[in-house]
Amino acid sequence: MNNDRLNGITTFVRAVEAGSFSLAAERMNLTRSAVGKTIARLEQRLGVLLFQRTSRKQKLTTEGQVYYERCLRALAELDAADAELNSGRLQPQGVLRISAPKLIGRHCITPVLTKLIERYPDLQIEMIYSDRVADLIEDGLDLAVRVGPLADSSSLVARPLGQQHQALCASPAYLARYGAPESVVALNGHRAIAYHRAGQDLVWQTLFANTQGLTVDIRLRLDDLHSLTDAAIAGVGLAWLPDWQLAQFIRSRQLTAVLPELRLLPTEIHIVWPQTRFLAAKTRIAIDTLLADAPALLHGQIGPR
């Protein structure tokens, strides 16, 4: 395989993963024209059309999809060969791309990984904060943090990072106005804020399912934990927050734990990465560092377990 041929394959794979020639060019520090010409030369050499192009989007042809899957395997083998030769000898280097949910990424993941930048001068870290479940291969990611049950996947490896406990809280102003419930039954009729995703009032619905006849007056539904925290501090109502998010506001007395003995089953947190025979040094050191240091940040003790 000559160098031009390998460059064509790499550009083709990057174009598929990026979803457009323009974004692939940006990620590879090339012009869109250069990417387009490389793909065109590849198609000419293969004698097939790899992409169906319109003015608005590009889509793989059937032949392009088959070729893409073969190219992924070929590049994975090359990466594995590089990693095997360099294992134990090379310092972490290059760009490490990691996806994590917004708040947990800011509070518990980025503070751990920024230490690596000081330790390894040839390493760069690109954090992508998103609450959607990222496709590691399609999005060109090295690692991702997942909260909740993991879907079965033979293409990914997962390691448990910790558990997310949640606690019920309210602002002192809300409790002064409406009273502090002293039992689960006393929650009936209280105003509440819900973390709302995929048509569900998460956590509250779990509590309702476990406590027959319990109802609260949900006045506000939000799909963002930061906004939910702000609303709780403003006194809108009772809210469930992860311990790692709530602990700082308990300390500053902006929020107060309510019924600290009321605990639901914790949510599992994992780090996941694409299955490969050999991990690049940058990925391996990031995994080891997160497993060692992130659990302490995830664990914010609010009440009894």
Side-chain angles (χ1 to χ4, degrees), residues 136-156:
L136 277 78
I137 303 300
E138 189 172 309
D139 294 341
L141 297 168
D142 299 293
L143 289 172
V145 176
R146 299 271 169 87
V147 179
L150 293 177
D152 290 336
S153 174
S154 60
S155 62
L156 297 178

Side-chain angles (χ1 to χ4, degrees), residues 67-101:
Y67 191 64
Y68 170 65
E69 292 172 0
R70 293 291 185 93
C71 287
L72 277 183
R73 289 197 288 271
L75 291 175
E77 284 299 316
L78 288 173
D79 288 341
D82 288 347
E84 184 174 12
L85 290 174
N86 294 322
S87 179
R89 295 194 297 113
L90 288 183
Q91 293 289 306
Q93 58 183 312
V95 180
L96 181 74
R97 301 187 77 239
I98 303 176
S99 171

Side-chain angles (χ1 to χ4, degrees), residues 91-140:
Q91 293 289 306
Q93 58 183 312
V95 180
L96 181 74
R97 301 187 77 239
I98 303 176
S99 171
K102 295 176 183 176
L103 273 187
I104 204 169
R106 292 175 182 140
H107 284 264
C108 306
I109 305 301
T110 300
V112 172
L113 294 177
T114 50
K115 301 174 186 176
L116 297 180
I117 299 174
E118 298 299 324
R119 196 181 309 163
Y120 302 107
D122 294 328
L123 178 66
Q124 302 172 43
I125 294 176
E126 182 179 341
M127 285 295 308
I128 296 94
Y129 295 130
S130 175
D131 290 334
R132 74 176 182 87
V133 177
D135 184 315
L136 277 78
I137 303 300
E138 189 172 309
D139 294 341

Side-chain angles (χ1 to χ4, degrees), residues 128-301:
I128 296 94
Y129 295 130
S130 175
D131 290 334
R132 74 176 182 87
V133 177
D135 184 315
L136 277 78
I137 303 300
E138 189 172 309
D139 294 341
L141 297 168
D142 299 293
L143 289 172
V145 176
R146 299 271 169 87
V147 179
L150 293 177
D152 290 336
S153 174
S154 60
S155 62
L156 297 178
V157 181
R159 288 284 300 276
L161 192 59
Q163 293 182 326
Q164 177 172 280
H165 293 267
Q166 303 215 51
L168 187 61
C169 66
S171 71
Y174 175 88
L175 296 176
R177 183 175 181 183
Y178 296 102
E182 297 181 354
S183 67
V184 174
V185 174
L187 291 173
N188 272 308
H190 265 277
R191 299 186 176 199
I193 312 165
Y195 183 60
H196 189 81
R197 300 203 67 178
Q200 296 185 338
D201 297 326
L202 304 183
V203 187
W204 282 115
Q205 286 187 337
T206 302
L207 182 62
F208 296 158
N210 296 339
T211 314
Q212 188 173 3
L214 175 67
T215 59
V216 294
D217 181 13
I218 296 178
R219 308 301 297 270
L220 183 62
R221 291 176 168 87
L222 298 162
D223 68 353
D224 176 72
L225 277 178
H226 185 82
S227 299
L228 191 148
T229 304
D230 288 344
I233 291 172
V236 175
L238 300 169
W240 287 90
L241 286 175
D243 284 4
W244 52 262
Q245 167 72 355
L246 178 56
Q248 59 183 312
F249 299 105
I250 294 287
R251 289 192 296 268
S252 66
R253 299 184 180 181
Q254 292 174 277
L255 291 171
T256 301
V258 175
L259 298 176
E261 71 281 1
L262 180 60
R263 311 300 292 187
L264 302 179
L265 289 176
T267 303
E268 299 295 328
I269 302 173
H270 292 83
I271 46 176
V272 299
W273 62 91
Q275 173 82 313
T276 181
R277 290 181 60 195
F278 299 98
L279 279 176
K282 63 180 181 180
T283 308
R284 185 175 61 252
I285 195 65
I287 292 170
D288 291 344
T289 302
L290 286 172
L291 290 174
D293 297 343
L297 295 178
L298 289 168
H299 183 75
Q301 188 73 34

